[in-house]
């Protein structure tokens, strides 16, 4: 319900620091329950938040259920068992790890730890929307670098050479999403390596690999291999995507131990809850489940992309579990018509992409429904679903 305001009424919220007062909130994908409430419809498919509909493995769910018995206790604030599991999985020292309430938490912590109004951060046009948001929260200056153009092999993707050239003496963070959300585009290992070689020691390069497990099937590099040579590299990963644990909220940073030390001092003591810790540890031990979900998803991505092409629609090259789709008309009415037919996708007007939608890859039946429904929704006044 909207809050009614009267002239002259006190507004204590206005006491917030200017950088925070001026923020526009992040617009997440519409939850299924919200659409049910709004339209009174059921049988809704959400392809809007790049979740993994195969979900966590039975062993992961069993571990979370077992952890329920101790939910009255505070979690292990140091996430010891999960850190040990990750250290082994990554062949990296546990002192390099920081756990977060999703990797989004780590983006906020990085900005808080390294940015002030006297600093700047570099990110790409069409880069993940959280990068400008966390930068602005600190009052730092955002340097947005134009994306690669249509004529290139990776339209809408990060121009890493231009991003390296955009680094200024006050730049403390460079954000690279590989693959990137919402475009799905990715960077070749050699291009990332060149940026790492050009970035000065006074700048941290944040390599956000939220879609790493999908991207590596398209040849993206495992950034962990570069950590020894580049102490200013910070890699972010998450259990939200390939491991199917978006609702549990666990992500992690792998960095130089001195960066991990700073982030661990700054983070709230219990930022990863006990169910999430238990689930993530069990998920790590069940690689076969994750790999099967990833390979089925990438197989479906290829199929959906080919079908959309057959419909005469352009999609950006994608190494994530989603596609950016360009429409011949403004996307907002198409988005609304899809909603009325029980399909939630993501409009991208916030990125300045008014003729584009981002569509997550679902289960095969969900993708089939999209492929049947989209042509209907492209036609203004087309019949609504029964
Ligand atoms: C590129 C990228 N980075 C980070 C995140 C944050 O994910 P989480 O906080 O669930 O780990 C997302 C989520 O969509 C993403 O797309």
């Amino acid at each position: 319900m909207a809050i009614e305001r009267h002239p002259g009424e006190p507004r204590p919220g206005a006491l917030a620091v200017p950088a925070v007062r001026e923020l526009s909130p992040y617009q997440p994908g519409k939850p299924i329950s919200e659409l049910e409430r709004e339209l009174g419809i059921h049988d809704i498919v959400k392809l809007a938040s790049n979740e993994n509909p195969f979900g966590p493995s039975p062993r992961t769910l069993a571990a979370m259920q077992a952890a329920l018995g101790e939910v009255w206790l505070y979690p292990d604030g140091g996430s010891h068992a999960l850190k040990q599991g990750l250290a082994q999985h990554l062949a990296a020292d546990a002192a390099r790890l920081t756990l977060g309430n999703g990797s989004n938490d780590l983006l906020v912590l990085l900005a808080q730890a390294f940015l002030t109004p006297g600093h700047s951060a570099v990110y790409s046009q069409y880069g993940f929307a959280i990068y400008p948001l966390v930068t602005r929260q600190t009052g730092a200056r955002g340097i947005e670098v134009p994306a690669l153009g249509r004529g290139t092999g990776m339209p809408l993707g990060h121009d890493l050479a231009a991003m390296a050239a955009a680094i200024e003496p006050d730049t403390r963070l460079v954000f690279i999403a590989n693959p990137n959300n919402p475009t799905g585009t990715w960077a070749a290992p050699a291009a990332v390596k060149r940026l790492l070689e050009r970035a000065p020691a006074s700048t941290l390069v944040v390599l956000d690999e939220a879609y790493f497990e999908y991207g590596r099937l398209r040849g993206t590099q495992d950034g962990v291999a570069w950590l020894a040579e580049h102490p200013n590299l910070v890699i972010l990963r998450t259990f939200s995507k390939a491991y199917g644990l978006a609702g549990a909220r666990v992500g992690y940073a792998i960095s130089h131990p001195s960066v991990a030390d700073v982030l661990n001092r700054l983070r709230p003591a219990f930022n990863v809850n006990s169910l999430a810790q238990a689930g993530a540890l069990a998920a790590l031990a069940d690689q076969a489940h994750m790999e099967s979900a990833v390979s089925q998803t990438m197989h479906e991505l290829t199929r959906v992309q080919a079908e959309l092409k057959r419909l005469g629609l352009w999609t950006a090259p994608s190494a994530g579990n989603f596609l950016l789709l360009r429409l011949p008309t403004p996307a907002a009415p198409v988005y609304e018509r899809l909603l009325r037919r029980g399909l939630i996708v993501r409009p991208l007007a916030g990125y300045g992409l008014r003729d584009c939608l981002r569509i997550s890859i679902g289960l095969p039946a969900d993708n089939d429904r999209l492929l049947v429904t989209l042509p209907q929704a492209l036609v203004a006044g087309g019949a609504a679903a029964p």
Side-chain angles (χ1 to χ4, degrees):
M1 195 170 53
I3 299 171
E4 238 181 272
R5 293 225 169 77
H6 301 287
E9 198 184 327
R11 284 200 68 202
L15 299 172
V17 296
V20 173
R21 275 204 315 266
E22 286 153 22
L23 286 180
S24 329
Y26 178 69
Q27 298 282 342
K30 190 186 259 304
I32 290 175
S33 55
E34 188 177 304
L35 187 61
E36 280 177 346
R37 269 198 316 277
E38 284 174 0
L39 298 186
I41 58 172
H42 300 284
D43 188 24
I44 292 166
V45 170
K46 183 181 176 214
L47 301 175
S49 298
N50 302 345
E51 290 138 336
N52 170 3
F54 292 95
S57 71
R59 276 196 268 162
T60 300
L61 290 175
M64 294 174 86
Q65 254 146 12
L68 268 176
E70 293 203 335
V71 79
W72 55 279
L73 284 168
Y74 278 100
D76 170 4
S79 301
H80 179 79
L82 178 54
K83 267 195 187 168
Q84 293 306 314
L86 276 170
Q88 199 184 355
H89 176 70
L90 299 163
D93 195 325
R96 289 187 177 274
L97 299 175
T98 312
L99 295 188
N101 189 247
S103 55
N104 194 123
D105 196 19
L106 294 154
L107 288 166
V108 174
L109 291 171
L110 282 163
Q112 281 177 354
F114 293 98
L115 297 177
T116 72
H119 291 122
S120 64
V122 170
Y123 40 79
S124 176
Q125 181 187 21
Y126 314 129
F128 184 41
I130 298 293
Y131 308 151
L133 193 74
V134 298
T135 301
R136 283 187 205 124
Q137 274 169 14
T138 66
R141 190 165 51 96
I143 302 174
E144 185 182 285
V145 176
L148 291 168
R150 285 192 187 202
T152 64
M154 203 51 78
L156 309 182
H158 290 17
D159 184 340
L160 293 183
M163 289 177 77
I167 295 174
E168 295 190 12
D170 69 1
T171 302
R172 286 286 171 277
L173 299 177
V174 177
F175 292 106
I176 299 169
N178 198 30
N180 180 49
N181 169 20
T183 56
T185 50
W186 68 99
V192 182
K193 184 81 172 101
R194 271 197 299 277
L195 179 135
L196 283 170
E197 269 148 22
R198 283 179 69 183
S202 54
T203 302
L204 293 187
V205 177
V206 181
L207 186 57
D208 181 346
E209 295 186 336
Y211 302 94
F212 165 71
E213 295 83 0
Y214 299 96
R216 66 184 165 178
L217 298 191
R218 296 280 190 273
T220 59
Q221 166 98 13
D222 178 348
V224 176
W226 289 320
L227 278 166
E229 227 181 308
H230 297 283
N232 56 344
L233 171 63
V234 181
I235 295 164
L236 300 184
R237 300 252 177 102
T238 183
F239 285 89
S240 297
K241 309 295 178 185
Y243 289 98
L245 285 171
R249 315 301 301 127
V250 203
Y252 57 98
I254 323 157
S255 66
H256 190 270
S258 64
V259 173
D261 178 48
V262 165
L263 298 177
N264 275 305
R265 274 188 273 155
L266 186 60
R267 71 174 173 82
F270 302 113
N271 64 336
V272 182
N273 71 71
S274 47
L275 303 184
Q277 288 185 33
L281 184 59
L284 262 189
D286 209 344
Q287 292 292 305
H289 176 87
M290 181 275 285
E291 281 164 11
S292 151
V294 166
S295 90
Q296 289 181 73
T297 300
M298 294 317 264
H299 184 266
E300 278 294 288
L301 178 124
T302 306
R303 176 176 81 91
V304 173
Q305 202 163 26
E307 288 296 317
L308 292 171
K309 191 171 179 194
R310 231 171 35 83
L311 293 171
L313 298 169
W314 183 84
T315 53
S318 176
N321 61 341
F322 57 91
L323 284 169
L324 179 141
L325 168 68
R326 179 166 275 142
L327 300 174
T329 58
V334 179
Y335 166 71
E336 292 296 332
R337 284 183 220 122
L338 286 171
L339 284 183
R340 277 185 265 121
R341 290 164 170 82
L343 268 173
I344 311 176
V345 298
R346 193 69 157 266
L348 296 175
Y351 284 90
L353 295 164
R354 287 178 197 287
D355 56 350
C356 295
L357 291 172
R358 194 196 66 197
I359 299 174
S360 307
I361 299 301
L363 296 172
D366 303 336
N367 304 329
D368 286 343
R369 183 157 153 198
L370 170 88
L371 292 169
V372 169
T373 313
L374 184 64
Q376 299 165 2
L378 284 173
V379 183

